Amino acid sequence: ADPGSQSGTIGLVLDAAGRLPVVREMRPGFPAANNGFIHLGDFLTQVDGASIEGRSFADVHTRIKGLPHSKISLTFMRAPKQQNGLHSALHLSQPRLFMVTLTRVDPRNQRHAPEVHRMLA
């Protein structure tokens, strides 16, 4: 069997944005979208407790890959909102860090199969 076919996914698409990858897309029906905490534009800062700042895109991809049904902890940074509104005035005046733990799934079993290119996890 091809070892690549054993790779689990969380359905997260990241873009290189300076020293930290930024969330560009979350595939519907996959763990990243289903958890409800990750937003487009969030910056990924850690994978399983290890900082990824300044690491190559390939290295980040390698750190996120894993077997289906295995868990991964990701730490994100959300920048403050710039528009006027309740949240920008109260809670998000400073960048906020948060961690989520997701379980990788087998993409072949998902209803909306992800594209392979640019897919990080």
Side-chain angles (χ1 to χ4, degrees), residues 8-120:
T9 182
I10 55 172
L12 187 65
V13 180
L14 300 172
D15 271 338
R19 296 187 57 81
L20 292 170
V22 63
V23 176
R24 179 177 67 111
E25 186 178 344
M26 291 173 286
R27 303 294 182 184
F30 283 82
N34 291 348
N35 86 73
F37 291 105
I38 304 168
H39 293 178
L40 299 181
D42 287 344
F43 294 92
L44 180 63
T45 63
Q46 294 182 4
V47 176
D48 287 330
S51 174
I52 59 162
E53 184 174 359
R55 297 206 178 263
S56 72
F57 219 54
D59 185 39
V60 173
H61 180 256
T62 298
R63 289 171 181 267
I64 294 176
K65 284 194 306 188
L67 292 173
H69 311 294
S70 62
K71 293 197 179 298
I72 184 169
S73 293
L74 303 172
T75 303
F76 292 92
M77 179 181 68
R78 182 165 300 150
K81 292 194 181 295
Q82 298 302 316
Q83 73 247 23
N84 291 330
L86 185 63
H87 292 299
S88 61
L90 295 178
H91 300 293
L92 295 177
S93 58
Q94 297 292 322
R96 184 169 68 98
L97 291 175
F98 63 97
M99 187 179 79
V100 296
T101 300
L102 304 172
T103 301
R104 296 172 180 103
V105 296
D106 185 336
R108 296 170 299 180
N109 296 338
Q110 294 305 106
R111 198 162 159 217
H112 305 283
E115 295 173 14
V116 174
H117 101 286
R118 305 268 347 233
M119 192 74 180
L120 275 194

